[in-house]
Every structure is written in C-alpha cells, then in structure tokens.
Amino acid sequence: MSVELIGAVYIVSAILFIYGLKLLSSPATAVRGNQLSALGMLVAIVVTLGSREIIDFRWIGGAATLGALVGAIAARRVAMTGMPEMVALFNGSGGIASLLVGWAALDMGSGEDPSTQTAFTIVTILLSILIGGVTFSGSIVAWGKLAETIPSRAITLPGQQIITLLLLIASIGCGIAMVMQPEAWNATLIYVVVALSLLLGVMAVIPIGGADMPVVISLLNSYSGLAACAAGLAINNTILIVAGSLVGAAGIILTNIMCKAMNRSLSHVLFSGFTATKSATKVEGEVKPIVAEDAYLILEAASSVVMVPGYGMAVAQAQHVVRELGELLEKNGAEVSYAIHPVAGRMPGHMNVLLAEANVPYEQLVEMDDINPRIENIDVAIVIGANDVVNPAAREDENSPIYGMPIINVDYARTVFVLKRSMASGFSGVDNPLFFGQNTRMLFGDAKQSLSSIIAAFKE
Amino acid sequence: METVFLGFVLMLSIFLGFELISKVPATLHTPLMSGANAISGITVVGAITLAGGPMAEWATWLGAAAVFFATVNVVGGYMVTDRMLGMFKTKEKPEVRS
C-alpha cells in the first residue's frame, strides 16, 4: 500500500476517534462512541499491517495475540470497585509501549548510521522514552497505592524535590549529550535515560497521598497520550500524533476539573502531600449515635432523601444495598437522589460507575453544584463512607488544610445520617465538625450492614 | 517543512481535545478516561511498524514487546469501557410487548 493511501486511511481513523469522543459526552450515545473509537483503532491497525515496510508478521502476530488475551481477561475479570487500579495498570502498559517504541526507533532508517538522525528526531525519541517511562513507573506506583500494596499515604523522602530536580537536569543533560554526539546514544546513554525516566515516575507519584489519586490517575492518563504523541513525532506517524495529543489534552482537562473540585492548584497536588500541617481548629462536642431502627423511623417519614456516597461505599461494596434502600424509599413516596462530589472515590466519576453497576438510573445522579442550592429542603442526607467531601470545615475553618474546597453542604439538610465504621478522619486527616453537628446522627458500623438493617426494618 | 507540518497537526489536535472533553458531564468521567486511555494505545501502530520492519534484532524485540503492551492497553481499555458504559442505564420505560 502506498504511503498516501495509508495516510488517507489514518485520516478516517482520526475522524472515528474524534467522533467517538464526541459521542462519549452523553450517557445515551456513549456506548456507540466507544465502539466507533475502537473501530478507528482497528482501521488504523489493519492499514498499518498492509504497509510496505512490514516484512515479517510473526512477531507482531504473537505479541498482539498475547496482549489481546491478557487485556480481554483483565477487562472481563475486574470488579467495578477495582476500576481505578485497572485503569492505572492499562495506563502503565501504554506508557511502557511508548518507551519501547522510542527505544526501537533509534534504529530507524534500517542500517543507516544513527548519527544521520536529525536533532528533532533525537529529541522526540528522548521525549517518548522519558514520558513513557514516567507514565509506566508512575502508574505502577499509583496502582500500588490504590491496591494498598504500598502505603497510600504521602511518602516524602528528605530532599525529595531536590532529587527530582536533579533527575530532571540529568535527563536534559543526556538529551543535550545525545544531540551533540549521536553515536554515544546506543551504547550507554539510552540505559541511563530509561533508568532516569523510571526513577522520575516513582519520585513524581510517591509523595502524593491517596486522597489525590483522582488527580494523579487523570494526569498519568494525559502523560500516556503525550508519550504516544512523542513517539509519533519520533517515527513520523501522524495518527500517533493526532490520537496521542487528543488523549493528552483530554487528560489535562480532566486533571484541571479535579483540581478545581478540590480548590487546589496542580502544583500544590504534585509537590505537597495532603499533610495537615496547619493546625486546624480542634473540634469538640458530643456525637449522637443512632441505631438502624430509629434511622428507619426518620427515613420512613422523610419526603426527600439524598445519598452522598464516598470511597467507603466502594470499600464496603455497598452500592447494591444503597440502590435497594433508594428504591424502598421511592416506593414509600420519598424523592431520592444521589449527590456526587467530583473527587469522591479514587478516580474521577468512580461513584457514578459503582452506582451504575448497581442499576441506579443516571438521571438520579446529581452533581454537587446542582444539589447544594436545594439542600436546605432535603429531609435526610445519608453520607455513606464519605468524609472530606462533606466536611464543613472546608467552608468555615480558615485554618483547615482543606479550607476553600467546594463540598456538598449536607450539614444544611434537616437531618444527616453519617454511616461510618469509627470516628477516624478521612484521607486528609482532618477532623470533621459535621460529626458533632446538631442535626447529625452517627450510624456506626459497616455501611453495608447498617443499610441492610434499615432495609430489613422497611420490609417488616 | 515536515516539522512545521507535524507541529500544526499537534496544535490542532490539542485544541480539538480540549473542546471535546470540556463538554463531558462528570457522570461519564471514568468511562471517558478509560476510553481515552484505550486511544493512547495507538502506540500499537508505531510498534507494529517497528516489530515487522527490516531492523536490527534488538529493535524487533523491543517492537514486539511494545506491540504486546500496547495491545493490552487497547483491548483491555476498550473492553472495560464498554463494560462500564453498558451499566449506565436510564430508568426502565414501561415494557412494550410485541
């Protein structure tokens, strides 16, 4: 196939990607959008296989079959609660692929002396290795934190930022050395650059705590796109550039949305762990516990109920009982909605997916900005395993580390139930005055069990 | 000239990406992210050219490894997104019997 024809087909697949992303903007068309985007990928792969440069299909066939098998099994098996981990791993594998493509591209031009490569090619190869490596090791660390194989809290080494800075300078130094002396490339420098990129990824993610993972995941997603884009520039392939930069931009936008939802700048997320350094005003007061039977009596009389899920709901796998309770309340005549904070859970929109899994219709899912104006008219707000996203200190206590973060104002509701295992604070390690509020009742215990007992009371 | 052309492509795609994504509601952020993630597996196209091309043996190896990882990303990413999106349901309409 001629280069022109391949280029033309790449345009078709770019259109499919773009249109697919566009259709992803509404739940009604999203499934089709995703399929169109997959079709675009298939078209691009098939036409590439027909390229004249390809003379040997054995390696491609074997590697692709194996990869497809691993990907398919992983995608089928993963539980919805484990979605953040899964996305982190897929991200990482995209990153390492770009690193390898960049590395292999050193040999481009088959047989020619690598010293004939232009400075532009060398720089883009370097970028694809660096970004790919950072994406890979960063995603692995993020996965480890999400799966809690490594502590999810922020880990800071002494002189962390200086080390990261030195690593960056070293990488740039390598880049300059390579442009000056391309022969030196293949020998040692390439290993140095690969090692540097992997180290940089670890250093970038390790100081970020579990609460900031939504931001990190979406940032790494952006990196994986940029890595593909850099690889495309290195091997002069337009579809890699277009698709890669689409993803890169998408990730940046999402990252920005997440940061806004926490009222923190990106640099703040990246360079300072969510350490409660400022001493927040100590909250004191008396908590008022409630038992499931009494909670039932209040819920039975309520005419409007809002559920506010958080990561605790995911841990307790309580999404199905949440939906069941919601349905019972609706049957009882109450208006039920689910208020979702943009950063609840461990990845953007995590709660939406869990509730969707439990068959909650998406019309009942309400965003923070839509629920807050009418929260005063809500009879009961049920907080299920969420902490920081409903903490009124963010609104009132200027000394609180989370001050200024937009929250769901559940404390304005007539009654608040907080489902919680203990009085422990959330990821941010901040006390929550909500627990001591006049209209707050604490329902201690595993969220799933507590909800089940309320449901049992309803059914009696 | 080539470099300038690639630069144009890059800039336009970035702006398009911004435009497309800023309209997506929060409900769909997770599927959007994993769908976008699958697209980033486009590296597979580059990997294929390298793995099947007339290159030194080590480059073929690297290319093959890249094909493997990128395919995991592509196949896994699209399938898991499809699975997630399949769960987003609207309230059941009264069933129409045929």
Side-chain angles (χ1 to χ4, degrees):
Chain A
M1 247 184 278
S2 71
V3 180
E4 285 76 22
L5 183 63
I6 293 179
V9 178
Y10 279 166
I11 294 180
V12 173
S13 88
I15 292 173
L16 288 171
F17 284 144
I18 293 166
Y19 200 59
L21 276 178
K22 189 174 146 58
L23 290 184
L24 268 177
S25 61
S26 153
T29 55
V31 176
R32 216 152 50 84
N34 189 51
Q35 286 162 355
L36 274 186
S37 151
L39 179 68
M41 185 65 75
L42 189 69
V43 167
I45 291 174
V46 169
V47 76
T48 311
L49 287 174
S51 143
R52 235 181 295 166
E53 280 167 49
I54 294 185
I55 47 169
D56 188 351
F57 289 91
R58 282 173 300 170
W59 284 109
I60 301 174
T65 315
L66 210 61
L69 211 65
V70 171
I73 293 174
R76 284 234 168 278
R77 290 254 174 102
V78 62
M80 284 301 132
T81 37
M83 197 51 71
E85 288 95 314
M86 192 82 265
V87 169
L89 283 183
F90 284 155
N91 242 338
S93 69
I96 189 95
S98 295
L99 181 149
L100 294 169
V101 167
W103 193 343
L106 277 179
D107 194 43
M108 280 295 275
S110 60
E112 277 174 48
D113 188 5
S115 59
T116 54
Q117 285 178 331
T118 61
F120 177 74
T121 315
I122 292 177
V123 170
T124 49
I125 286 177
L126 183 82
L127 277 176
S128 74
I129 293 177
L130 270 180
I131 307 177
V134 168
T135 311
F136 173 69
S137 59
S139 297
I140 297 299
V141 174
W143 168 79
K145 283 190 181 236
L146 291 167
E148 301 200 26
T149 39
I150 53 176
S152 65
R153 68 191 156 77
I155 301 168
T156 38
L157 309 172
Q160 179 109 24
Q161 293 181 16
I162 302 199
I163 297 174
T164 311
L165 194 67
L166 286 178
L167 286 175
L168 259 179
I169 293 173
S171 333
I172 295 171
C174 284
I176 295 173
M178 278 154 63
V179 174
M180 304 302 245
Q181 287 219 283
E183 315 80 68
W185 223 158
N186 272 325
T188 353
L189 264 183
I190 178 72
Y191 297 106
V192 176
V193 171
V194 170
L196 278 174
S197 72
L198 295 177
L199 262 177
L200 264 173
V202 174
M203 292 303 282
V205 179
I206 207 116
I208 303 175
D212 285 329
M213 275 303 133
V215 181
V216 175
I217 298 277
S218 75
L219 193 66
L220 286 170
N221 189 37
S222 172
Y223 287 169
S224 74
L226 294 178
C229 179
L233 287 167
I235 62 172
N236 211 338
N237 184 317
T238 39
I239 190 68
L240 254 68
I241 302 175
V242 172
S245 44
L246 278 176
V247 177
I252 296 276
I253 284 272
L254 272 182
T255 310
N256 194 25
I257 294 174
M258 300 290 112
C259 284
K260 264 194 203 142
M262 297 197 294
N263 188 39
R264 301 170 68 205
S265 69
L266 184 57
S267 63
H268 197 231
V269 172
L270 294 183
F271 301 118
S272 59
F274 219 150
T275 40
T277 38
K278 279 196 252 179
S279 53
T281 317
K282 196 85 190 130
V283 192
E284 274 170 7
E286 215 172 306
V287 288
K288 294 179 279 289
I290 191 171
V291 289
E293 287 71 32
D294 297 339
Y296 156 72
L297 292 176
I298 297 176
L299 280 172
E300 212 250 330
S303 63
S304 54
V305 177
V306 167
M307 313 246 204
V308 186
Y311 188 67
M313 181 186 81
V315 174
Q317 298 264 15
Q319 62 270 36
H320 296 278
V321 282
V322 167
R323 190 255 314 152
E324 205 184 337
L325 177 62
E327 278 177 358
L328 283 171
L329 287 167
E330 275 197 313
K331 251 183 233 154
N332 192 40
E335 189 196 320
V336 178
S337 46
Y338 301 80
I340 298 179
H341 193 277
V343 292
R346 295 285 178 91
M347 71 186 285
H350 190 190
M351 292 302 124
N352 302 79
V353 171
L354 290 181
L355 291 174
E357 186 200 9
N359 281 326
V360 173
Y362 60 74
E363 293 95 335
Q364 275 181 299
L365 307 183
V366 192
E367 287 177 36
M368 173 175 68
D369 294 336
D370 297 325
I371 194 72
N372 271 343
R374 53 193 176 91
I375 198 113
E376 282 160 43
N377 301 319
I378 301 287
D379 287 330
V380 184
I382 309 178
V383 180
I384 308 147
N387 267 304
D388 300 329
V389 298
V390 292
N391 189 342
R395 206 176 49 224
E396 286 149 5
D397 182 5
E398 283 184 42
N399 294 318
S400 170
I402 60 168
Y403 179 71
M405 167 171 143
I407 55 159
I408 297 178
N409 293 324
V410 287
D411 53 324
Y412 290 163
R414 295 198 181 102
T415 309
V416 188
F417 292 158
V418 179
L419 274 58
K420 222 171 152 8
R421 281 169 200 274
S422 65
M423 285 300 289
S425 53
F427 279 123
S428 65
V430 189
D431 277 339
N432 195 337
L434 174 72
F435 302 160
F436 307 98
Q438 269 304 313
N439 49 352
T440 305
R441 300 288 178 277
M442 305 293 294
L443 189 48
F444 288 114
D446 179 72
K448 196 171 174 181
Q449 268 164 18
S450 306
L451 289 167
S452 299
S453 343
I454 300 179
I455 291 171
F458 253 102
K459 284 182 174 162
E460 265 166 27
Chain B
M1 195 53 219
E2 182 80 338
T3 316
V4 176
F5 166 70
L6 294 179
F8 264 120
V9 173
L10 180 65
M11 283 325 294
L12 288 175
S13 323
I14 289 177
F15 276 107
L16 194 59
F18 277 126
E19 278 304 308
L20 286 173
I21 303 308
S22 42
K23 295 195 182 71
V24 175
T27 310
L28 287 173
H29 278 167
T30 297
L32 168 76
M33 174 168 293
S34 78
N37 186 18
I39 296 180
S40 76
I42 189 71
T43 320
V44 73
V45 165
I48 285 174
T49 8
L50 296 172
M55 315 245 285
E57 200 175 337
W58 64 271
T60 311
W61 270 94
L62 290 179
V67 170
F68 168 75
F69 283 113
T71 323
V72 171
N73 189 6
V74 167
V75 175
Y78 278 121
M79 281 182 62
V80 91
T81 311
D82 194 62
R83 217 182 118 197
M84 265 192 276
L85 287 171
M87 292 170 179
F88 281 82
K89 287 192 202 85
T90 172
K91 216 166 203 172
E92 291 123 52
K93 297 185 182 82
E95 245 176 76
V96 189
R97 301 223 175 240
S98 56

